[in-house]
Amino acid sequence: METIFWILLIVIVYSYLGYPLLLIIVNFLQRWVKPERKVEISTNWPDVTMLIAAYNEIEFIEQKVNNTLSLNYPKENLYQIWITDGSDDGTYEKLKKYNELKVYHQKERKGKTGAINRGMQYVKTPIVIFSDANAMLNKDAVKKIINEFNDPKVGCVAGEKRIQSKNKTSAVNAGEGIYWKYESIIKTCESNLNSALGAAGELFGIRKELFYPIEKDTILDDFTISMQIAEKDYKIAYSPGAYATEEASININEEFKRKIRIAYGGFQSLFRHTSLLNIFKHPLLTFQYISHKVLRWLVIPFALIAIFIINLALLFKTQPLSIYFYLFFVQLFFYFTAILGAFFQTKNIKFTIFFAPYYLVIMNLSVIMGFIRFLKKRQSVNWERAKRK
């Protein structure tokens, strides 16, 4: 029992702290072995298509179109294609008023995956950038992404996702904001070492020639598209200089629903991208994949429950005030702060330090719920987006 306890503890610590710390150390040592990778600045800007799959996004249309038109990229080289399949709130009609973009619409809704597969047939440019209707890009986002493609080994470029922090008393806002800053550090180090693990749908670009239609029931379209490219031995570069900003979910319930869907998609991806587990085919990428994704999806949420139960059992089998007593106290303290975070959230009290553990608990609980849903095969590819602030 003690052996299982220590194995689980090591895995948990490694996943959240050990792996990021290892990446930071390796990145630091890398600078002594070889010069830091420099991104070549483009002088001739290629044609680029911004592909946006939008379902009932009328409230963001004007802001998103204006945001794209204001990007610091030659207007004659940047095209917009919108796919509005199934929208019935006036999204299609409003977009048709803009002469600067092309809109394709059909009444039947087949989810974001279906919209992307359909939209890609209209893309004629060598580079396509995917973005969400509610995600606003910084002015140099497209140029930053295009510069990364000057490296022929790069097949996909992932932008950074940022959470707009308006409501500091929101556990979702604070928790998701901290999470994405943490993820940005990891992805930056992964990209410098080898390849980032996946891309966020808010902003990422690919070489059009590397796109392969994804299965129609795919939940994590962004992860699938990017990792299919990584499986072809192309690199996923991470460019924090290109970022998309969006607001957090309106409340923890909306965020919980979103996380459950993502977790379902994670398990779906795990069983579909089995080649990524072949350490003989992709040694370094497989190590990254297991450390960054597989452990979080398949091990950590269940390990957190198991280690608590085992720790409680060990209290009755070991000497008083043993190390297991202190470790159990640490766990109790962590969950107590999570409960405080939940309480302060309901009272709109600003104690951000407690929101992080609360958000972490919600994340891991959503993975368990997502796993149950995955076993029951209960997740529609059509998804109502989380309500934002």
Side-chain angles (χ1 to χ4, degrees):
M1 188 179 292
E2 289 186 59
T3 302
I4 296 174
F5 175 85
W6 286 106
I7 290 174
L8 292 177
L9 181 60
I10 290 170
V11 170
I12 293 169
V13 173
Y14 170 75
S15 178
Y16 286 128
L17 299 176
Y19 176 62
L21 183 60
L22 178 62
L23 287 174
I24 292 171
I25 293 172
V26 172
N27 268 248
F28 177 76
L29 294 176
Q30 233 181 350
R31 296 177 185 175
W32 295 89
V33 179
K34 62 179 181 179
E36 188 176 356
R37 173 179 172 268
K38 293 183 179 180
V39 178
E40 183 182 339
I41 306 301
S42 296
T43 52
N44 296 317
W45 301 105
D47 288 345
V48 179
T49 298
M50 184 80 69
L51 180 61
I52 304 166
Y55 170 73
N56 285 354
E57 298 278 11
I58 192 168
E59 61 186 294
F60 295 104
I61 295 301
E62 186 174 353
Q63 186 182 4
K64 180 65 175 181
V65 172
N66 290 336
N67 173 251
T68 305
L69 292 174
S70 68
L71 294 175
N72 182 22
Y73 198 82
K75 300 294 183 290
E76 64 275 15
N77 300 113
L78 182 60
Y79 303 88
Q80 288 189 59
I81 291 180
W82 288 69
I83 308 297
T84 60
D85 296 350
S87 294
D88 55 8
D89 68 339
T91 293
Y92 170 66
E93 290 75 13
K94 189 166 186 175
L95 283 168
K96 288 294 290 182
K97 296 178 181 178
Y98 293 93
N99 297 322
E100 302 92 339
L101 48 89
K102 293 183 178 179
V103 191
Y104 298 95
H105 178 81
Q106 64 180 21
K107 290 185 178 181
E108 186 180 5
R109 183 187 178 198
K110 294 183 178 180
K112 188 177 180 182
T113 298
I116 289 175
N117 283 338
R118 198 169 83 85
M120 284 299 292
Q121 68 181 312
Y122 302 113
V123 175
K124 307 301 180 185
T125 60
I127 303 295
V128 56
I129 294 177
F130 301 92
S131 185
D132 289 342
N134 66 322
M136 303 303 145
L137 314 185
N138 63 307
K139 285 190 176 294
D140 289 326
V142 176
K143 281 190 173 182
K144 294 288 186 181
I145 288 175
I146 295 304
N147 284 336
E148 295 286 352
F149 283 114
N150 287 324
D151 182 347
K153 295 180 181 178
V154 171
C156 173
V157 181
E160 180 179 336
K161 176 179 176 177
R162 295 185 181 182
I163 300 301
Q164 191 169 353
S165 301
K166 287 184 177 179
N167 183 6
K168 297 293 184 180
T169 63
S170 167
V172 180
N173 203 312
E176 194 175 0
I178 292 171
Y179 170 76
W180 282 108
K181 288 176 183 177
Y182 167 78
E183 277 292 294
S184 184
I185 293 172
I186 294 176
K187 288 189 175 186
T188 298
C189 291
E190 286 178 334
S191 180
N192 291 339
L193 175 63
N194 176 45
S195 176
L197 263 293
E202 286 75 11
L203 176 61
F204 73 102
I206 67 169
R207 297 186 190 275
K208 200 253 183 179
E209 64 191 71
L210 299 179
F211 177 80
Y212 185 80
I214 50 181
E215 294 184 58
K216 62 182 181 180
D217 62 339
T218 299
I219 301 300
L220 299 185
D221 52 90
D222 46 9
F223 182 79
T224 299
I225 293 170
S226 56
M227 292 310 292
Q228 280 182 345
I229 292 173
E231 286 178 293
K232 296 173 183 174
D233 293 323
Y234 282 88
K235 176 181 177 179
I236 302 173
Y238 183 66
S239 178
Y243 57 87
T245 305
E246 69 174 17
E247 295 177 348
S249 302
I250 196 168
N251 55 46
I252 201 67
N253 291 330
E254 288 295 314
E255 181 67 4
F256 189 50
K257 288 192 298 183
R258 192 178 75 88
K259 289 292 185 186
I260 291 175
R261 177 178 181 267
I262 292 173
Y264 180 102
F267 287 109
Q268 183 188 65
S269 300
L270 187 63
F271 287 95
R272 287 185 177 177
H273 296 278
T274 53
S275 73
L276 291 172
L277 298 174
N278 186 348
I279 200 165
F280 299 105
K281 189 174 182 180
H282 313 283
L284 188 51
L285 187 66
T286 297
F287 168 73
Q288 292 176 275
Y289 181 54
I290 292 173
S291 298
H292 191 171
K293 298 295 184 181
V294 177
L295 290 181
R296 288 198 205 173
W297 289 337
L298 203 58
V299 180
I300 301 302
F302 308 98
L304 287 170
I305 296 173
I307 201 172
F308 186 87
I309 296 172
I310 293 173
N311 200 164
L312 180 61
L314 288 172
L315 290 180
F316 298 98
K317 292 189 175 184
T318 55
Q319 296 294 324
L321 299 181
S322 67
I323 188 172
Y324 298 107
F325 171 81
Y326 296 106
L327 289 173
F328 190 70
F329 176 78
V330 169
Q331 291 188 76
L332 286 178
F333 179 75
F334 170 78
Y335 289 114
F336 177 68
T337 57
I339 292 171
L340 285 178
F343 174 76
F344 291 139
Q345 162 68 16
T346 59
K347 301 298 181 181
N348 287 324
I349 300 174
K350 183 182 175 181
F351 276 108
T352 308
I353 192 172
F354 296 116
F355 291 159
Y358 174 45
Y359 188 80
L360 187 62
V361 169
I362 290 297
M363 272 181 53
N364 282 285
L365 181 59
S366 67
V367 173
I368 295 173
M369 298 299 293
F371 180 66
I372 294 173
R373 186 176 292 183
F374 176 74
L375 293 178
K376 295 180 178 180
K377 302 297 180 185
R378 292 181 180 175
Q379 179 61 62
S380 171
V381 70
N382 294 334
W383 174 250
E384 301 297 331
R385 63 176 174 83
K387 296 176 182 177
R388 301 283 175 177
K389 295 182 185 299

